Amino acid sequence: MGLPKIDFVETKGNIVRDCPGTKNHICCGYKTIDLIEGCVLSCSYCILKGYINTPDIKINRDMPYILSQVKETIEAEKTHILRFGTGELSDSLALDGRYKLNRPLIEFFGDTKKALLELKSKWAYIDHLIPYLNPYTVISFSVAPQRIIDKEEKRTSPLYKRLKAARKAQNSGCFVGLHFDPVIIYEGFEKDYEYLIGDIGRILDLKKVLWVSLGLLRFPPRLFDRFLEEGRKNLLYGEFIRGEDGKYRYIKKERMKIYRMLYGLLKKQEEDLFIYFCMEREDIWREAAGLTMEDNEALTGLFDNRIKKLYGGNI
Amino acid sequence: MQTIPITQINVNDKRFCISYPLEDDILLASIKKIGIIQPLILLAQSPYIVVTGFKRLEAALSLGLANIPCIIVNIDEKNALLRSIHDNTGRLLNIIEKAYCIEKMLHMGFSKEETYEIMTLLSLNRHEKIIKRLLDIANADETMKNFILKKDLSMQNAESLLRFTPEEKNRIIEMLIPAHTTESVMREILRMFHIIKVKNGAINFSIMVGADNAYELKTRLKNLTHPILSSLEKGLKDIKLKCALPPNIDIKVDPFFEKEYIDILIRAKNPDEIREALIKLTGVLDVGYIGSIFGLAKD
């Protein structure tokens, strides 16, 4: 299979948006920057396949316009410390070695010092960014057991490279983020995740991990048929139900059990880790983390506190 | 129009035939009574090839008619097929007939645009995926085609069924033929069979033996694909039985046990009925039955 076609566009309109979140689930108030639409990596579970009709990739090259939108958004926000990411409609780093898209963003956030930019990726090459990194950029990696990376995350970097790149980012003065998303249930997954978390504890400085997200596999209905057609045993191993938002997700009883396990394993590594659940329900928060999370505002507040704690008065 | 002996027609040449099935009892009865009114269109070749009128020819053959009225045309193959398709669009084509139209067009080298035009005429979405589904349906075996017709299967369900191996497909058809199913129940059942196949690599049909209706089949499949949900449903049913609530009180729980809350409905015609219902509910609340519903979905 050839690589997708890359188109450079100058899209006007809203490049910076609220992360869409999901109905009746608690979301974190993230802001997305639609710098790239589409992805060169080939994850079998990728929800972009359900939303974007073309395999082509669009890169928005109008950086002054993008930065003006980011600036406007930061200035309009009076309550929270905003977190921006470019990894919603694409992988933040996969094309960066070639197109150098992130450098102006990294520099902008470093100069502004009022908000954070998160570069979320499964692609472990950050060497070209090292000279420009500053504490206002968070280098984040999605993590999964290598068994899942081999089968379901084709063309992505192996786990050890992702962790090594994260460590490199920490050594360059950045905080990093870790995203256990999607967590996939398959035969023997518990042990694999235990080893994975052990590896993370050995390789990274957990005091410099700004946040860790946990999100079990969820996907829109049209992907279910695709998984069936492609015979994705790993992806269909667990028991799925339709959530209130219409997406398929593991049945809550299972989700609670797994979140509790992962939360416990991570906290065992570092009690101070800031762990949040991506698009989950109030009772999952209560049961798995022992936290009362009434709404999105409460979670956004937790992020504010976490950032203030680690950045002190520097943001 | 002229009348020719049937022996001058190549009755086995079905290259322009889009009708399925060819047997039509009403047409047969009509031809038996008053004969063939509308002539067949035949391609000017020796022997003649039928362009339109396959059902009439089938009826004539089964009635043992020697001669048949016809119009001989001298057109190329593509035009003959288009004529056959347009001749039939006046009636409601079933999904197999639509599949035949597209399959034959592609076989005869019509362009994609020409094929899409006919798809629009046949109320089909113009999409590669739809063409693929139609080709699979056109090439399905007779058992499958009969099943599609008998159950008036949607294209999606037909395609879903075609993804199984021939043996699995036949076993599933065997089970579903006597079952009364709606389109959505059929879709659910087929999906559950698929999930089991993907998860286990094969389907253990022995577990389904004796499942002689759609509900029973669905229940057994659900126990395999959704063991936790099935056990939660059973748990809820048991709690409701213990509650022994009168028919005017109902406890509604999210069907997937996702929502954090339950709804309690009281239907009342007067304040006394509300009071009675509240007393009953207080009773089951005090013994912990309602509380145990909240505990069901927790680990």
Side-chain angles (χ1 to χ4, degrees):
Chain A
M1 201 174 79
L3 286 173
K5 195 171 117 228
I6 312 270
D7 284 329
F8 286 91
V9 295
E10 287 186 10
T11 316
K12 296 295 174 191
N14 291 335
I15 304 286
V16 176
R17 293 178 298 108
D18 292 335
C19 177
T22 201
K23 193 182 152 196
N24 294 321
H25 293 72
I26 293 165
C27 295
C28 69
Y30 200 67
K31 302 279 178 192
T32 65
I33 305 171
D34 295 344
L35 181 63
I36 310 174
E37 199 177 290
C39 190
V40 283
L41 308 179
S42 197
C43 301
S44 58
Y45 52 74
C46 180
I47 58 162
L48 292 179
K49 288 176 183 172
Y51 292 125
I52 299 175
N53 294 323
T54 163
D56 297 344
I57 291 171
K58 284 186 203 155
I59 296 178
N60 196 327
R61 63 177 167 192
D62 191 352
M63 197 49 79
Y65 180 71
I66 294 170
L67 294 179
S68 75
Q69 283 230 325
V70 174
K71 193 174 174 203
E72 218 172 84
T73 313
I74 293 172
E75 280 168 3
E77 177 61 49
K78 303 292 175 211
T79 317
H80 300 293
I81 302 165
L82 295 183
R83 290 158 286 116
F84 293 82
T86 56
E88 290 304 305
L89 296 180
S90 186
D91 183 283
S92 297
L93 295 173
L95 286 171
D96 205 58
R98 199 187 308 172
Y99 297 107
K100 312 281 184 289
L101 302 161
N102 287 314
R103 187 179 149 187
L105 280 172
I106 291 170
E107 288 174 339
F108 172 84
F109 277 88
D111 292 341
T112 311
K113 296 185 175 56
K114 282 181 181 168
L116 298 181
L117 168 70
E118 182 179 36
L119 301 178
K120 202 189 286 184
S121 184
K122 294 189 185 90
W123 187 254
Y125 184 75
I126 59 162
D127 289 359
H128 65 294
L129 292 176
I130 297 282
Y132 312 102
L133 287 181
N134 58 62
Y136 301 90
T137 292
V138 182
I139 300 288
S140 288
F141 287 101
S142 296
V143 287
Q146 189 56 44
R147 198 191 305 217
I148 285 299
I149 294 175
D150 289 341
K151 292 211 167 114
E152 312 296 343
E153 297 181 355
K154 304 273 184 206
R155 296 186 186 160
T156 66
S157 299
L159 176 67
Y160 78 95
K161 282 196 177 176
R162 296 185 204 178
L163 295 181
K164 274 173 75 177
R167 180 72 211 203
K168 205 179 266 185
Q170 287 184 329
N171 293 344
S172 307
C174 278
F175 286 111
V176 300
L178 294 173
H179 297 283
F180 288 75
D181 196 348
V183 173
I184 295 170
I185 300 178
Y186 57 89
E187 209 168 354
F189 80 101
E190 296 98 331
K191 212 71 203 155
D192 285 354
Y193 273 94
E194 198 182 322
Y195 292 145
L196 166 63
I197 291 169
D199 287 343
I200 289 169
R202 273 186 296 279
I203 297 171
L204 298 184
D205 176 355
L206 295 181
K207 297 276 182 204
K208 288 184 185 166
V209 174
L210 187 54
W211 50 61
V212 178
S213 78
L214 300 179
L216 267 78
L217 180 63
R218 57 218 175 270
F219 49 85
R222 67 176 82 174
L223 281 190
F224 204 117
D225 291 326
R226 188 191 285 255
F227 295 167
L228 280 174
E229 267 176 54
E230 295 174 355
R232 297 272 169 198
K233 189 177 174 174
N234 286 328
L235 304 186
L236 295 173
Y237 187 85
E239 185 173 333
F240 290 96
I241 51 95
R242 284 287 285 276
E244 264 190 288
D245 54 358
K247 285 182 190 161
Y248 280 96
R249 52 186 71 226
Y250 296 122
I251 193 161
K252 193 157 76 178
K253 199 167 180 162
E254 280 288 89
R255 300 208 306 277
M256 274 187 186
K257 196 168 83 182
I258 295 160
Y259 281 131
R260 199 178 295 133
M261 175 193 85
L262 295 173
Y263 194 87
L265 287 169
L266 285 161
K267 283 286 185 184
K268 213 166 131 189
Q269 290 285 335
E270 170 56 58
E271 186 53 40
D272 278 346
L273 274 180
F274 174 74
I275 303 165
Y276 69 99
F277 304 115
C278 188
M279 297 187 216
E280 263 305 348
R281 304 187 72 95
E282 189 192 336
D283 54 350
I284 293 273
W285 276 92
R286 202 173 45 244
E287 293 296 321
L291 294 170
T292 304
M293 199 62 60
E294 277 174 3
D295 51 23
N296 297 353
E297 192 60 23
L299 178 55
T300 312
L302 277 192
F303 270 95
D304 289 343
N305 292 341
R306 173 66 175 172
I307 295 165
K308 279 176 197 158
K309 187 178 170 188
L310 293 196
Y311 284 77
N314 297 320
I315 195 160
Chain B
M1 189 171 85
Q2 54 186 297
T3 300
I4 61 159
I6 284 184
T7 51
Q8 289 183 15
I9 301 171
N10 181 352
V11 293
N12 296 317
D13 193 327
K14 302 255 186 333
R15 75 182 82 167
F16 306 117
C17 177
I18 60 152
S19 301
Y20 187 91
L22 287 178
E23 299 75 22
D24 184 330
D25 291 343
I26 297 168
L27 183 68
L28 186 78
S30 155
I31 290 174
K32 193 174 178 184
K33 195 166 183 184
I34 54 170
I36 294 173
I37 301 165
Q38 197 186 347
L40 278 66
I41 307 281
L42 302 177
L43 201 60
Q45 283 190 20
S46 183
Y48 294 115
I49 298 169
V50 183
V51 175
T52 69
F54 286 91
K55 286 187 175 188
R56 280 160 275 160
L57 177 63
E58 186 69 20
L61 288 168
S62 68
L63 290 169
L65 301 184
N67 299 307
I68 202 155
C70 64
I71 294 169
I72 314 289
V73 293
N74 196 356
I75 52 177
D76 63 26
E77 266 200 341
K78 281 187 170 180
N79 274 314
L81 180 62
L82 285 179
R83 190 153 185 173
S84 168
I85 293 170
H86 282 278
D87 187 64
N88 279 285
T89 47
R91 66 185 173 89
L92 203 62
L93 296 186
N94 63 48
I95 193 68
I96 296 168
E97 292 173 321
K98 290 180 182 181
Y100 278 167
C101 292
I102 302 310
E103 193 251 352
K104 285 173 194 282
M105 284 187 81
L106 293 174
H107 185 72
M108 282 187 194
F110 279 90
S111 69
K112 193 184 265 183
E113 210 32 61
E114 288 169 320
T115 312
Y116 278 161
E117 263 178 46
I118 293 295
M119 286 174 79
T120 306
L121 188 73
L122 300 176
S123 308
L124 295 166
N125 288 329
R126 298 153 63 109
H127 200 285
E128 279 289 345
K129 203 171 170 182
I130 302 292
I131 292 182
K132 193 195 161 295
R133 282 181 186 173
L134 291 166
L135 292 180
D136 288 343
I137 291 170
N139 293 311
D141 59 31
E142 284 305 301
T143 313
M144 177 72 192
K145 282 179 190 161
N146 286 332
F147 184 69
I148 291 173
L149 281 193
K150 190 176 161 64
K151 293 286 177 183
D152 194 17
L153 231 55
S154 69
M155 208 188 319
Q156 194 189 5
N157 278 345
E159 193 206 18
S160 177
L161 192 49
L162 281 163
R163 274 194 240 133
F164 293 99
T165 65
E167 297 80 48
E168 290 166 344
K169 197 182 63 192
N170 289 341
R171 295 292 298 272
I172 294 169
I173 288 176
E174 249 174 61
M175 270 187 265
L176 288 173
I177 277 187
H180 295 286
T181 52
T182 60
E183 185 63 29
S184 60
V185 169
M186 179 76 79
R187 187 166 58 241
E188 238 180 298
I189 288 175
L190 291 175
R191 174 172 278 200
M192 286 196 276
F193 271 120
H194 269 295
I195 293 172
I196 293 167
K197 188 180 171 178
V198 172
K199 275 187 181 178
N200 306 335
I203 303 165
N204 179 4
F205 285 101
S206 63
I207 296 170
M208 317 302 162
V209 171
D212 51 5
N213 62 64
Y215 176 77
E216 180 59 26
L217 183 59
K218 218 178 106 176
T219 306
R220 291 195 196 183
L221 287 167
K222 196 172 173 184
N223 283 334
L224 296 173
T225 58
H226 292 79
I228 299 171
L229 183 60
S230 300
S231 105
L232 290 175
E233 284 170 348
K234 191 183 170 302
L236 178 63
K237 197 175 161 189
D238 292 345
I239 293 170
K240 280 188 170 180
L241 275 175
K242 278 191 215 161
C243 290
L245 294 171
N248 67 325
I249 306 176
D250 193 13
I251 299 176
K252 294 233 178 242
V253 178
D254 179 76
F256 299 120
F257 297 85
E258 270 290 291
K259 291 177 185 166
E260 294 86 350
Y261 55 86
I262 62 172
D263 294 308
I264 296 178
L265 301 169
I266 299 172
R267 195 176 56 246
K269 291 184 208 136
N270 54 56
D272 287 343
E273 284 189 0
I274 297 174
R275 256 178 234 116
E276 269 174 45
L278 290 175
I279 290 167
K280 178 69 189 168
L281 279 170
T282 309
V284 290
L285 190 63
D286 288 346
V287 291
Y289 291 154
I290 293 182
S292 60
I293 294 176
F294 291 102
L296 276 174
K298 289 180 188 165
D299 182 26

